[in-house]
């Protein structure tokens, strides 16, 4: 298959990597050349890490890289694509605009997938004339490690598109769960519910972030605690999802004040070097000095 991935950020380059490793030809596109370069460099770093851990052979890594091209031109990225996966920022209008632009450039039988983690796939798909060819493929971070892909079926997604999505997920050696398009799907709704409660516990002084995370890692066998996961995903992303779910599903998804304060202060987690934790070179080196505690009021 020829697969176009739109967005070279954390999710986009990860999707491009696993797709290329499954022998598909991939074009990764972003709006600036440096973004494309950074995305491909991140893929190279991931593959080097895999080689060092004996997870990937040098030959397989080189072959995967040979199947990846980068561009800033949308038409060049998608014109021959069998599948287009958008991984642009989590903004409804941006995703709808992207879908409209893509549909004008691809063949009628091409599938367009959105990697949205919580926005309505049906609403995104409504920007297209061929809504039946639009589906959600929600990957998880880091893509090259996480096994799950959530297939989100919009109201007008046709059966052939659903079947093709399952085939693609299986082909890239991931495991699919299929869900109906509802706010937060299954994974984000459950994951955010746990994360927001953990933040409230920090805010109320119930426990230190490290102890809350340890409770879930050691007590429930989670690979990563909910506070650390929020920092890895990005606290701005967490806030956007919570505000959307609050609007759609009610007050149980009300963002805690501590989260709002951190986002206003630019403490967005791993990507900025500080969130609930302090990060250096991608590793936790301490807990944020502001303590994250407040009165919890709006």
């Amino acid at each position: 298959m020829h697969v176009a991935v739109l967005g070279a950020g954390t999710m986009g380059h990860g999707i491009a990597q696993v797709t290329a490793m499954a022998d598909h030809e991939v074009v990764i596109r972003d709006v600036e050349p440096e973004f494309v370069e950074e995305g491909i460099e991140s893929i190279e770093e991931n593959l080097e890490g895999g080689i060092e851990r004996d997870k990937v052979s040098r030959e397989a890594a080189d072959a995967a890289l040979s199947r990846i091209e980068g561009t800033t031109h949308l038409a060049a990225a998608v014109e021959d694509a069998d599948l287009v996966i958008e991984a642009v920022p989590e903004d409804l209008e941006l995703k709808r605009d992207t879908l409209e632009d893509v549909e004008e450039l691809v063949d009628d039988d091409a599938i367009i997938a959105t990697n949205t983690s919580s926005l309505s796939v049906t609403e995104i798909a409504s920007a297209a004339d061929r809504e039946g060819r639009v589906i959600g493929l929600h990957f998880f971070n880091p893509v090259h490690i996480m096994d799950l892909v959530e297939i989100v079926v919009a109201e007008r997604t046709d059966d052939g598109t659903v079947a093709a999505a399952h085939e693609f997920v299986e082909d890239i050696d991931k495991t699919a769960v299929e869900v109906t398009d509802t706010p937060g799907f299954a994974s984000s709704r459950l994951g955010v519910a746990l994360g927001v409660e953990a933040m409230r516990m920090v805010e109320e002084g119930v426990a230190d972030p490290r102890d809350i995370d340890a409770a879930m890692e050691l007590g429930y066998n989670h690979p990563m605690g909910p506070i650390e996961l929020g920092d890895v995903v990005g606290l701005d992303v967490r806030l956007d999802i919570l505000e959307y779910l609050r609007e759609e599903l009610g007050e149980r998804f009300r963002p805690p004040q501590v989260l709002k304060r951190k986002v206003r202060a630019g403490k967005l987690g791993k990507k900025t070097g500080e969130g609930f934790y302090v990060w250096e070179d991608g590793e936790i080196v301490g807990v944020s000095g502001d303590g994250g505690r407040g009165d919890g009021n709006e």
Side-chain angles (χ1 to χ4, degrees):
M1 290 176 65
H2 289 265
V3 180
V5 180
L6 308 183
T10 300
M11 300 306 298
H13 75 249
I15 295 168
Q17 176 182 331
V18 298
T19 302
M21 292 182 72
D23 296 334
H24 299 296
E25 299 296 325
V26 181
V27 179
I28 185 168
R29 184 258 180 178
D30 214 312
V31 294
E32 298 291 344
E34 57 264 33
F35 298 161
V36 177
E37 292 169 8
E38 289 169 2
I40 293 176
E41 286 172 2
S42 294
I43 293 171
E44 292 172 346
E45 291 172 4
N46 287 342
L47 290 171
E48 285 297 328
I51 292 168
E52 291 172 5
R53 296 190 299 274
D54 293 325
K55 300 290 186 181
V56 181
S57 70
R58 172 64 64 185
E59 293 76 14
D62 289 344
L65 286 170
S66 73
R67 287 189 284 268
I68 299 172
E69 296 181 13
T71 184
T72 58
H73 301 289
L74 183 62
V78 307
E79 59 187 356
D80 295 322
D82 303 298
L83 170 64
V84 178
I85 304 173
E86 69 80 5
V88 304
E90 197 77 342
D91 177 271
L92 179 61
E93 289 309 313
L94 176 59
K95 290 181 180 292
R96 284 172 55 85
D97 290 345
T98 300
L99 189 148
E100 280 188 284
D101 293 340
V102 167
E103 190 180 37
E104 293 179 359
L105 298 167
V106 296
D107 293 338
D108 288 351
D109 59 353
I111 294 172
I112 305 174
T114 173
N115 181 55
T116 181
S117 60
S118 63
L119 297 175
S120 169
V121 176
T122 299
E123 194 166 356
I124 294 170
S126 68
D129 293 327
R130 300 185 297 276
E131 293 184 53
R133 305 299 287 173
V134 182
I135 197 164
L137 287 177
H138 177 206
F139 289 79
F140 292 77
N141 183 36
V143 178
H144 64 290
I145 294 175
M146 300 297 285
D147 185 49
L148 180 65
V149 178
E150 200 169 26
I151 296 176
V152 186
V153 182
E155 287 186 18
R156 297 190 178 182
T157 303
D158 63 42
D159 291 343
T161 300
V162 176
H166 276 278
E167 183 177 347
F168 172 72
V169 172
E170 182 178 354
D171 193 49
I172 62 173
D173 200 26
K174 301 292 185 184
T175 300
V177 295
E178 181 180 321
V179 299
T180 301
D181 182 31
T182 54
F185 317 139
S187 59
S188 291
R189 188 163 165 180
L190 290 169
V192 168
L194 177 60
V196 72
E197 188 60 27
M199 292 177 200
R200 290 188 183 122
M201 290 170 67
V202 172
E203 188 172 60
E204 295 166 6
V206 173
D208 180 276
R210 291 168 294 196
D211 290 330
I212 292 171
D213 281 345
M216 299 310 298
E217 291 166 8
L218 302 178
Y220 288 84
N221 205 29
H222 288 200
M224 182 183 299
I227 301 293
E228 181 181 352
L229 181 59
D231 266 15
V232 170
V233 170
L235 298 185
D236 53 337
V237 176
R238 278 287 199 236
L239 179 58
D240 287 344
I241 293 172
L242 281 169
E243 288 177 336
Y244 170 72
L245 292 179
R246 180 188 191 182
E247 181 180 340
E248 295 290 329
L249 299 174
E251 288 300 303
R252 67 187 185 274
F253 290 101
R254 175 178 58 83
Q257 192 69 16
V258 60
L259 176 60
K260 293 182 178 180
R261 288 200 309 272
K262 286 186 176 292
V263 172
R264 282 196 296 265
K267 297 177 179 180
L268 307 183
K270 183 178 180 180
K271 60 188 173 185
T272 61
E274 184 174 355
F276 283 90
Y277 292 104
V278 178
W279 298 79
E280 289 182 6
D281 298 324
E283 301 293 333
I284 293 173
V285 296
V287 175
S288 177
D290 65 19
R293 297 180 183 180
D295 59 15
N297 295 323
E298 290 288 347

